Amino acid sequence: NLRKLWINVTNLNVIEYKMKVVIVKYNAGNIRSVDFALKRLGVEAQITDNATEIRNADKVIFPGVGEAHSTMSFLRQTGMDQLLESLRQPFLGICLGMQLMCRHSEEGDVDCLGMFDEEVKLFVPKLHTDKVPHMGWNQLENINGRLFKGVKQGEFVYFVHSYYVPVCDFTAASTQYIV
């Protein structure tokens, strides 16, 4: 019996823990693009709007393309706003998702989830060459934290947006555009 126990214990190292990543499904676009990008990185994510699945995830991704006011209305109507505000695990907002994690957005003059005490602002062109929405390649600066592990200062990323969150204590990276 002791030999059987030893074999069972040594086989435990074969058991692999699989991290549960959830992409929040809500009334916004870009969810499939994020899922495809994760798959290319070898990460299998679950796309869901189920509160239990979201609460039980190890990591939550909140992507989106849309408009802040109507999306916040949808989140409030479905109770998803309270669910998202209650999460304590790593929670990444992308594009509209990041915007909605802030206190307020100038887009539709709407109060958002308030996870960050920041106001999302509209880019205001200063010169005739400044374009809004901002679309194009810009270099990352001030890279901070594990999110950008392996990414070097000055690497280029593509942006398509009309709104921005001012640099704050929670900023993971920044770039230069109009502001």
Side-chain angles (χ1 to χ4, degrees), residues 103-123:
R103 175 182 39 80
H104 187 266
S105 177
E106 289 184 355
E107 184 178 26
D109 189 27
V110 64
D111 289 334
C112 298
L113 298 171
M115 296 169 179
F116 302 110
D117 190 22
E118 298 296 329
E119 180 164 356
V120 178
K121 300 187 173 290
L122 174 67
F123 279 119

Side-chain angles (χ1 to χ4, degrees), residues 22-26 28-32 34 61-65 92-98 100:
V22 163
I23 300 172
V24 179
K25 179 181 173 184
Y26 67 110
N30 205 30
I31 290 170
R32 291 284 175 207
V34 172
I61 300 176
F62 187 41
V65 172
L92 175 65
I94 301 172
C95 200
L96 180 61
M98 181 183 70
L100 298 179

Side-chain angles (χ1 to χ4, degrees), residues 3-16:
R3 181 170 157 71
K4 283 183 185 176
L5 178 61
W6 180 79
I7 291 170
N8 288 338
V9 170
T10 58
N11 286 338
L12 284 178
N13 65 359
V14 176
I15 297 171
E16 235 178 83

Side-chain angles (χ1 to χ4, degrees), residues 54 79 154:
I54 294 169

Side-chain angles (χ1 to χ4, degrees), residues 68-160:
H69 190 274
S70 60
T71 304
M72 278 307 302
S73 293
F74 175 82
L75 294 176
R76 288 186 182 109
Q77 288 168 4
T78 61
M80 194 173 280
D81 60 330
Q82 294 175 1
L83 168 66
L84 297 175
E85 290 169 359
S86 73
L87 297 179
R88 296 294 172 252
Q89 64 269 63
F91 185 29
L92 175 65
I94 301 172
C95 200
L96 180 61
M98 181 183 70
Q99 183 176 336
L100 298 179
M101 291 171 75
C102 294
R103 175 182 39 80
H104 187 266
S105 177
E106 289 184 355
E107 184 178 26
D109 189 27
V110 64
D111 289 334
C112 298
L113 298 171
M115 296 169 179
F116 302 110
D117 190 22
E118 298 296 329
E119 180 164 356
V120 178
K121 300 187 173 290
L122 174 67
F123 279 119
V124 177
K126 296 178 182 176
L127 305 169
H128 74 282
T129 56
D130 295 338
K131 304 293 181 203
V132 177
H134 166 223
M135 297 173 64
W137 293 93
N138 286 74
Q139 290 180 290
L140 289 180
E141 302 171 350
N142 307 313
I143 295 173
N144 182 10
R146 295 181 307 173
L147 180 63
F148 288 98
K149 183 179 178 182
V151 177
K152 297 177 185 145
Q153 297 283 345
E155 287 198 36
F156 284 88
V157 294
Y158 194 79
F159 289 88
V160 179

